[in-house]
Amino acid sequence: MNSGLRVSPRLFALSGVAFASSGMFAGCTAAASVRTLARLCALVLVVAAGLGSELRVRVRLSDGLVTEELLEADTERDSISLEFKQGDGTLITFLADFKQEVKIFRALILGELERGQNQYQALCFVSRLNRNEIIPSESMARLRQKNPHVIRLAEERKGLEQLTMSAAVNLSRAWQLSSHIRNMCSEAHEAIYTREADMKHWLEKGVDGSMFEVLPRTTEAPGFQACHSTKDLWQPCLCTYGLRLEWYPCLLKYCRSRDGAAKGATYKCGIRSCSKGYHFTYYVPQKQLCLWDEET
């Protein structure tokens, strides 16, 4: 597809992505030819009453496999969720709670039954949601796809973010941070983690301090090792878990109108897609809970 394809004066397609503001899509359909519309494998943000907020996108993972991402927006609760399955069967879920400015990562990891693990192991990581990390829920709810068979690749590959999760979160009190935590992290229970800086921020906001438990640090236990270098399965260690969101709408694009009356005015005309990796480091009471973090 031609990244500079101009469909109409009020709809602009760029890198396979487009945005239509209220009333624009109908005008575009009337003005553009059937052949032109057929060529658009764009994600179109359409303002139309009654349209659902679920989108399924085919994405290529870093290992080369293709997976399907499910993106959902809840405009009433002002939240966005993204979910996909990795090649090893792990189910990754990301949720952005805009009202509470909280983001939640959940990983459901298939257990190694032959090594005494449960059928699956759940992890949850909770941290503050920064502005402009992902597009608003209202815009996500309008995201539409002209060609669901296209395999999407992110336009921007962001750097790896290292997060030291030095505190545990009590599930029964986590509603103070976000009402979504209980639903998302119920399987994780005692494996819900956050950063010390985020914990201090929330304490300053007035949340109950009994929600958090500060975990042991390497400075307090000189013999502490990373789990990948710990041989004894029953020894405490520092575990690392990594994941990557391969494709998500991170920014809105704006174009300038060429219409006579509104010439020069800006309007939303598309999205920019990003990919971002995360490495979480946290304390576990035994290496048995971190079998993926081993020397190769």
mmCIF file of all heavy atoms in Angstrom, residues 13-37:
data_model
loop_
_atom_site.group_PDB
_atom_site.id
_atom_site.type_symbol
_atom_site.label_atom_id
_atom_site.label_comp_id
_atom_site.label_asym_id
_atom_site.label_seq_id
_atom_site.Cartn_x
_atom_site.Cartn_y
_atom_site.Cartn_z
ATOM 1 N N ALA A 13 -4.469 8.413 4.778
ATOM 2 C CA ALA A 13 -3.912 7.110 5.154
ATOM 3 C C ALA A 13 -2.400 7.201 5.148
ATOM 4 O O ALA A 13 -1.806 7.699 4.212
ATOM 5 C CB ALA A 13 -4.366 6.042 4.154
ATOM 6 N N LEU A 14 -1.789 6.700 6.205
ATOM 7 C CA LEU A 14 -0.340 6.747 6.321
ATOM 8 C C LEU A 14 0.152 5.489 7.000
ATOM 9 O O LEU A 14 -0.278 5.153 8.096
ATOM 10 C CB LEU A 14 0.089 7.972 7.142
ATOM 11 C CG LEU A 14 1.591 8.206 7.303
ATOM 12 C CD1 LEU A 14 2.225 8.458 5.945
ATOM 13 C CD2 LEU A 14 1.849 9.373 8.220
ATOM 14 N N SER A 15 1.055 4.771 6.355
ATOM 15 C CA SER A 15 1.616 3.538 6.894
ATOM 16 C C SER A 15 0.535 2.535 7.272
ATOM 17 O O SER A 15 0.641 1.841 8.275
ATOM 18 C CB SER A 15 2.476 3.839 8.129
ATOM 19 O OG SER A 15 3.527 4.700 7.790
ATOM 20 N N GLY A 16 -0.538 2.495 6.491
ATOM 21 C CA GLY A 16 -1.575 1.495 6.725
ATOM 22 C C GLY A 16 -2.531 1.832 7.834
ATOM 23 O O GLY A 16 -3.321 1.009 8.258
ATOM 24 N N VAL A 17 -2.515 3.068 8.349
ATOM 25 C CA VAL A 17 -3.367 3.418 9.474
ATOM 26 C C VAL A 17 -4.091 4.711 9.180
ATOM 27 O O VAL A 17 -3.524 5.629 8.614
ATOM 28 C CB VAL A 17 -2.531 3.584 10.756
ATOM 29 C CG1 VAL A 17 -3.402 4.016 11.915
ATOM 30 C CG2 VAL A 17 -1.835 2.275 11.094
ATOM 31 N N ALA A 18 -5.363 4.804 9.546
ATOM 32 C CA ALA A 18 -6.123 6.023 9.289
ATOM 33 C C ALA A 18 -7.111 6.293 10.396
ATOM 34 O O ALA A 18 -7.442 5.421 11.173
ATOM 35 C CB ALA A 18 -6.863 5.922 7.954
ATOM 36 N N PHE A 19 -7.584 7.537 10.461
ATOM 37 C CA PHE A 19 -8.558 7.947 11.469
ATOM 38 C C PHE A 19 -9.607 8.802 10.787
ATOM 39 O O PHE A 19 -9.282 9.716 10.054
ATOM 40 C CB PHE A 19 -7.872 8.765 12.569
ATOM 41 C CG PHE A 19 -8.765 9.118 13.718
ATOM 42 C CD1 PHE A 19 -8.735 8.370 14.877
ATOM 43 C CD2 PHE A 19 -9.630 10.192 13.646
ATOM 44 C CE1 PHE A 19 -9.541 8.689 15.943
ATOM 45 C CE2 PHE A 19 -10.457 10.523 14.702
ATOM 46 C CZ PHE A 19 -10.405 9.766 15.863
ATOM 47 N N ALA A 20 -10.873 8.517 11.058
ATOM 48 C CA ALA A 20 -11.954 9.329 10.502
ATOM 49 C C ALA A 20 -12.724 9.965 11.640
ATOM 50 O O ALA A 20 -13.171 9.273 12.531
ATOM 51 C CB ALA A 20 -12.905 8.474 9.664
ATOM 52 N N SER A 21 -12.867 11.272 11.607
ATOM 53 C CA SER A 21 -13.668 11.929 12.632
ATOM 54 C C SER A 21 -15.132 11.884 12.240
ATOM 55 O O SER A 21 -15.489 11.420 11.170
ATOM 56 C CB SER A 21 -13.205 13.366 12.835
ATOM 57 O OG SER A 21 -13.378 14.104 11.661
ATOM 58 N N SER A 22 -16.004 12.354 13.132
ATOM 59 C CA SER A 22 -17.446 12.207 12.960
ATOM 60 C C SER A 22 -17.910 12.762 11.611
ATOM 61 O O SER A 22 -17.669 13.888 11.266
ATOM 62 C CB SER A 22 -18.169 12.944 14.086
ATOM 63 O OG SER A 22 -19.561 12.774 13.951
ATOM 64 N N GLY A 23 -18.615 11.893 10.854
ATOM 65 C CA GLY A 23 -19.166 12.312 9.568
ATOM 66 C C GLY A 23 -18.206 12.179 8.415
ATOM 67 O O GLY A 23 -18.602 12.276 7.264
ATOM 68 N N MET A 24 -16.928 11.939 8.664
ATOM 69 C CA MET A 24 -15.934 11.927 7.579
ATOM 70 C C MET A 24 -15.995 10.648 6.765
ATOM 71 O O MET A 24 -15.741 10.639 5.584
ATOM 72 C CB MET A 24 -14.532 12.093 8.152
ATOM 73 C CG MET A 24 -14.264 13.467 8.721
ATOM 74 S SD MET A 24 -12.592 13.538 9.336
ATOM 75 C CE MET A 24 -12.634 15.112 10.158
ATOM 76 N N PHE A 25 -16.291 9.517 7.466
ATOM 77 C CA PHE A 25 -16.207 8.242 6.775
ATOM 78 C C PHE A 25 -17.232 8.145 5.657
ATOM 79 O O PHE A 25 -16.947 7.642 4.577
ATOM 80 C CB PHE A 25 -16.408 7.104 7.774
ATOM 81 C CG PHE A 25 -16.113 5.753 7.218
ATOM 82 C CD1 PHE A 25 -14.825 5.413 6.826
ATOM 83 C CD2 PHE A 25 -17.113 4.813 7.065
ATOM 84 C CE1 PHE A 25 -14.544 4.160 6.320
ATOM 85 C CE2 PHE A 25 -16.838 3.563 6.558
ATOM 86 C CZ PHE A 25 -15.555 3.236 6.182
ATOM 87 N N ALA A 26 -18.443 8.635 5.929
ATOM 88 C CA ALA A 26 -19.470 8.581 4.885
ATOM 89 C C ALA A 26 -19.065 9.417 3.685
ATOM 90 O O ALA A 26 -19.244 9.023 2.535
ATOM 91 C CB ALA A 26 -20.799 9.084 5.459
ATOM 92 N N GLY A 27 -18.478 10.590 3.935
ATOM 93 C CA GLY A 27 -18.031 11.435 2.848
ATOM 94 C C GLY A 27 -16.920 10.793 2.058
ATOM 95 O O GLY A 27 -16.844 10.911 0.840
ATOM 96 N N CYS A 28 -16.049 10.104 2.771
ATOM 97 C CA CYS A 28 -14.935 9.418 2.112
ATOM 98 C C CYS A 28 -15.457 8.323 1.192
ATOM 99 O O CYS A 28 -14.997 8.151 0.080
ATOM 100 C CB CYS A 28 -14.004 8.832 3.179
ATOM 101 S SG CYS A 28 -12.775 7.702 2.509
ATOM 102 N N THR A 29 -16.463 7.564 1.685
ATOM 103 C CA THR A 29 -17.003 6.465 0.895
ATOM 104 C C THR A 29 -17.629 6.982 -0.385
ATOM 105 O O THR A 29 -17.493 6.387 -1.456
ATOM 106 C CB THR A 29 -18.059 5.707 1.723
ATOM 107 O OG1 THR A 29 -17.452 5.307 2.942
ATOM 108 C CG2 THR A 29 -18.576 4.497 0.982
ATOM 109 N N ALA A 30 -18.292 8.094 -0.283
ATOM 110 C CA ALA A 30 -18.951 8.640 -1.469
ATOM 111 C C ALA A 30 -17.936 9.161 -2.465
ATOM 112 O O ALA A 30 -18.120 9.066 -3.674
ATOM 113 C CB ALA A 30 -19.902 9.771 -1.051
ATOM 114 N N ALA A 31 -16.833 9.716 -1.957
ATOM 115 C CA ALA A 31 -15.874 10.373 -2.837
ATOM 116 C C ALA A 31 -14.888 9.400 -3.463
ATOM 117 O O ALA A 31 -14.393 9.631 -4.550
ATOM 118 C CB ALA A 31 -15.117 11.449 -2.058
ATOM 119 N N ALA A 32 -14.563 8.332 -2.752
ATOM 120 C CA ALA A 32 -13.517 7.441 -3.230
ATOM 121 C C ALA A 32 -14.101 6.327 -4.086
ATOM 122 O O ALA A 32 -15.234 5.928 -3.930
ATOM 123 C CB ALA A 32 -12.775 6.848 -2.043
ATOM 124 N N SER A 33 -13.299 5.808 -4.978
ATOM 125 C CA SER A 33 -13.754 4.716 -5.835
ATOM 126 C C SER A 33 -13.711 3.407 -5.075
ATOM 127 O O SER A 33 -13.049 3.280 -4.058
ATOM 128 C CB SER A 33 -12.841 4.615 -7.058
ATOM 129 O OG SER A 33 -11.545 4.215 -6.666
ATOM 130 N N VAL A 34 -14.434 2.399 -5.579
ATOM 131 C CA VAL A 34 -14.430 1.077 -4.955
ATOM 132 C C VAL A 34 -13.029 0.496 -4.948
ATOM 133 O O VAL A 34 -12.596 -0.125 -3.986
ATOM 134 C CB VAL A 34 -15.409 0.141 -5.705
ATOM 135 C CG1 VAL A 34 -15.310 -1.274 -5.162
ATOM 136 C CG2 VAL A 34 -16.829 0.665 -5.597
ATOM 137 N N ARG A 35 -12.296 0.717 -6.028
ATOM 138 C CA ARG A 35 -10.934 0.188 -6.117
ATOM 139 C C ARG A 35 -10.042 0.803 -5.038
ATOM 140 O O ARG A 35 -9.255 0.114 -4.407
ATOM 141 C CB ARG A 35 -10.355 0.476 -7.499
ATOM 142 C CG ARG A 35 -8.911 0.008 -7.658
ATOM 143 C CD ARG A 35 -8.380 0.265 -9.048
ATOM 144 N NE ARG A 35 -9.132 -0.492 -10.048
ATOM 145 C CZ ARG A 35 -8.871 -0.439 -11.348
ATOM 146 N NH1 ARG A 35 -7.894 0.340 -11.803
ATOM 147 N NH2 ARG A 35 -9.572 -1.146 -12.194
ATOM 148 N N THR A 36 -10.184 2.102 -4.827
ATOM 149 C CA THR A 36 -9.369 2.758 -3.804
ATOM 150 C C THR A 36 -9.691 2.212 -2.425
ATOM 151 O O THR A 36 -8.796 1.910 -1.637
ATOM 152 C CB THR A 36 -9.614 4.285 -3.822
ATOM 153 O OG1 THR A 36 -9.274 4.777 -5.111
ATOM 154 C CG2 THR A 36 -8.763 4.978 -2.767
ATOM 155 N N LEU A 37 -10.972 2.050 -2.122
ATOM 156 C CA LEU A 37 -11.360 1.533 -0.810
ATOM 157 C C LEU A 37 -10.872 0.109 -0.618
ATOM 158 O O LEU A 37 -10.507 -0.292 0.479
ATOM 159 C CB LEU A 37 -12.885 1.598 -0.646
ATOM 160 C CG LEU A 37 -13.475 3.007 -0.499
ATOM 161 C CD1 LEU A 37 -14.998 2.945 -0.488
ATOM 162 C CD2 LEU A 37 -12.966 3.662 0.762
#
